[in-house]
Amino acid sequence: MAMEQVVELGHLLVFGFLFSFAAYMVAPAMTDVTMEALCPGRDECSLAIYLTGLQQAITGLGALVATPIVGSLSDRYGRKALLLLPATASILPLVILACNRTKVFFYAYYITRMLTAMVAESSMLCLSLAYVADKVPQSRRAAAFGVFSGVCLAGFVAGTVAARFLTVPCTFQVAAVAALAAAVYVRAFVQETDGGASLLHAGDEENSSRPLCLPSCSSSSEDVAPPALPPLRKALSLSDMAALLTTSSTFSRAALVTFFYSLGETGLQTSLLYFLKAQFHYTKNQYANLLLVIGITGSLSQLVMMPILAPKLGEQKLLIIALLGSCMHGFLYSIAWSPWVPYLVASLVIISILVNPCIRSIVSKRAGPSEQVGISNLRLLTCINHRNAS
């Protein structure tokens, strides 16, 4: 990605950093807080795992409805205006646990978090990627998506480092302040986009608005054009999503890959920290160390490896390599025999974390500027069933 694009998107990158810093800073402490609230004095707690899975299921179903609406509103009112919604929604749950972490406050956090996450997490990612797609030509989107994801991972790393040295009450207090700062920053400094009009004016229209199809579709016959994407300016219904899944071989295959990848990853992430607590008696600091390894390697991967490898190998070959790394990643966690093994396994995220940027780039290159949020929204459809399975 060229330096001028990095400068142009600088304010969005700062917002992504602050948002991720606040969101992930509390991750090392949440397992201990949940266990202490639900099963005090114990290292195993089935209720905690069930509630975590239930929260993800309800959040996923709600996001399926809310995120396409937020995306279509961003087409009408602008990306910046709608980015304020997830930025402000993420503040309240952190404030609750910053006040206290007793059982009553935990359940208040649990319900509030479940509701706000429907519009906070997924909408923030979709709107940010659409913002990037509005600003960056398709030839550089893979690198741009990688840089944005890498900056968010840098926020993850910074938040994890801070949590490593702060007490639990201070962790939630600092996270709440950071979330507030992210909302203020996006309101004050992030500039509205033109919906990709400048890219079309520069001659990117032909490449950006091509239908979603594999290269072989367009090269095999000049007379038969594959079906084009329907417009995505209105809020998508389930029938609209199903139609998009059937109109393009590229998109349907990308959705299938995303579904199975997300199925395994979410199941792993839902239970991993509780597994480490029960198996190796991990504490907040050990969780922080583990997440720090994941964050550092992930940041290096998306900030350095993705911009270098994507142009040379192509997104499809890089996606295959990343999926193989993800398989190895999950398998080694399942056979961990010593407390140091998860730290070694976590380093494999340097490969597996490239799955999502590759898929997003493949799909985004086949969608026009007005379709970027819709394409990002449709990724939710592939995630709902795996959330319910959790």
Side-chain angles (χ1 to χ4, degrees):
M1 183 177 177
M3 182 57 65
E4 55 267 23
Q5 271 90 29
V6 175
V7 174
E8 188 176 13
L9 298 173
H11 291 308
L12 180 71
L13 298 180
V14 174
F15 164 69
F17 178 89
L18 290 173
F19 187 93
S20 300
F21 178 87
Y24 293 114
M25 184 180 185
V26 300
M30 274 310 304
T31 302
D32 287 342
V33 169
T34 303
M35 295 285 290
E36 187 63 28
L38 300 178
C39 305
R42 294 168 53 187
D43 285 338
E44 299 182 20
C45 185
S46 298
L47 178 61
I49 299 176
Y50 295 148
L51 287 180
T52 302
L54 177 63
Q55 184 183 54
Q56 291 191 348
I58 296 177
T59 297
L61 290 172
L64 178 62
V65 176
T67 306
I69 296 174
V70 172
S72 63
L73 289 175
S74 77
D75 285 336
R76 181 179 303 175
Y77 299 107
R79 313 294 192 217
K80 173 184 175 178
L82 271 297
L83 271 174
L84 284 169
L85 180 60
T88 53
S90 63
I91 299 173
L92 182 58
L94 297 174
V95 171
I96 292 175
L97 287 187
C99 296
N100 208 324
R101 289 149 304 281
T102 61
K103 190 172 185 178
V104 173
F105 278 84
F106 172 80
Y107 277 112
Y109 161 84
Y110 179 83
I111 295 172
T112 306
R113 166 72 174 170
M114 189 161 48
L115 296 175
T116 58
M118 295 179 187
V119 296
E121 294 180 353
S122 298
S123 294
M124 182 272 181
L125 179 60
C126 293
L127 292 171
S128 297
L129 294 178
Y131 188 104
V132 172
D134 286 347
K135 292 284 189 179
V136 180
Q138 69 155 259
S139 61
R140 292 174 176 170
R141 279 183 195 161
F145 290 162
V147 170
F148 179 78
S149 299
V151 170
C152 290
L153 277 172
F156 172 94
V157 171
T160 303
V161 170
R164 179 67 176 79
F165 298 102
L166 293 174
T167 63
V168 172
C170 288
T171 297
F172 287 97
Q173 292 165 7
V174 173
V177 172
L180 178 61
V184 172
Y185 191 92
V186 72
R187 176 67 178 85
F189 297 106
V190 173
Q191 300 299 312
E192 188 56 82
T193 73
D194 57 8
S198 60
L199 298 182
L200 296 180
H201 182 70
D204 196 51
E205 181 174 9
E206 180 179 354
N207 292 330
S208 295
S209 59
R210 287 184 301 173
L212 294 176
C213 66
L214 291 174
S216 59
C217 295
S218 58
S219 61
S220 60
S221 174
E222 296 294 332
D223 299 326
V224 180
L229 277 175
L232 297 176
R233 289 188 178 277
K234 295 182 180 180
L236 296 172
S237 64
L238 290 177
S239 61
D240 294 329
M241 296 179 182
L244 280 169
L245 286 170
T246 58
T247 55
S248 163
S249 59
T250 296
F251 185 77
S252 60
R253 292 174 185 179
L256 189 64
V257 170
T258 303
F259 174 83
F260 285 107
Y261 170 74
S262 300
L263 176 66
E265 283 296 300
T266 301
L268 176 66
Q269 293 168 10
T270 299
S271 58
L272 177 60
L273 298 186
Y274 297 106
F275 164 74
L276 296 177
K277 179 84 171 176
Q279 188 75 7
F280 303 119
H281 308 289
Y282 270 33
T283 62
K284 176 180 76 74
N285 290 342
Q286 289 171 303
Y287 290 139
N289 294 336
L290 180 67
L291 295 176
L292 190 59
V293 173
I294 294 174
I296 291 175
T297 54
S299 297
L300 291 175
S301 176
Q302 298 202 61
L303 288 172
V304 179
M305 290 182 60
M306 183 73 180
I308 295 175
L309 295 180
K312 293 182 178 180
L313 298 179
E315 288 87 350
Q316 291 184 351
K317 291 182 180 179
L318 191 57
L319 175 60
I320 294 173
I321 297 173
L323 287 171
L324 291 175
S326 178
C327 293
M328 183 63 66
H329 186 229
F331 174 74
L332 292 178
Y333 270 132
S334 69
I335 62 171
W337 60 89
S338 178
W340 60 267
V341 175
Y343 295 106
L344 177 63
V345 176
S347 63
L348 291 178
V349 78
I350 196 170
I351 300 174
S352 62
I353 204 168
L354 297 178
V355 171
N356 283 329
C358 287
I359 293 176
R360 291 168 191 154
S361 179
I362 291 171
V363 175
S364 177
K365 283 184 177 181
R366 304 296 183 179
S370 65
E371 299 164 342
Q372 294 301 326
V373 172
I375 290 300
S376 296
N377 292 340
L378 286 172
R379 185 174 178 271
L380 292 171
L381 182 63
T382 66
C383 300
I384 296 304
N385 287 336
H386 86 258
R387 290 181 188 273
N388 288 326
S390 296

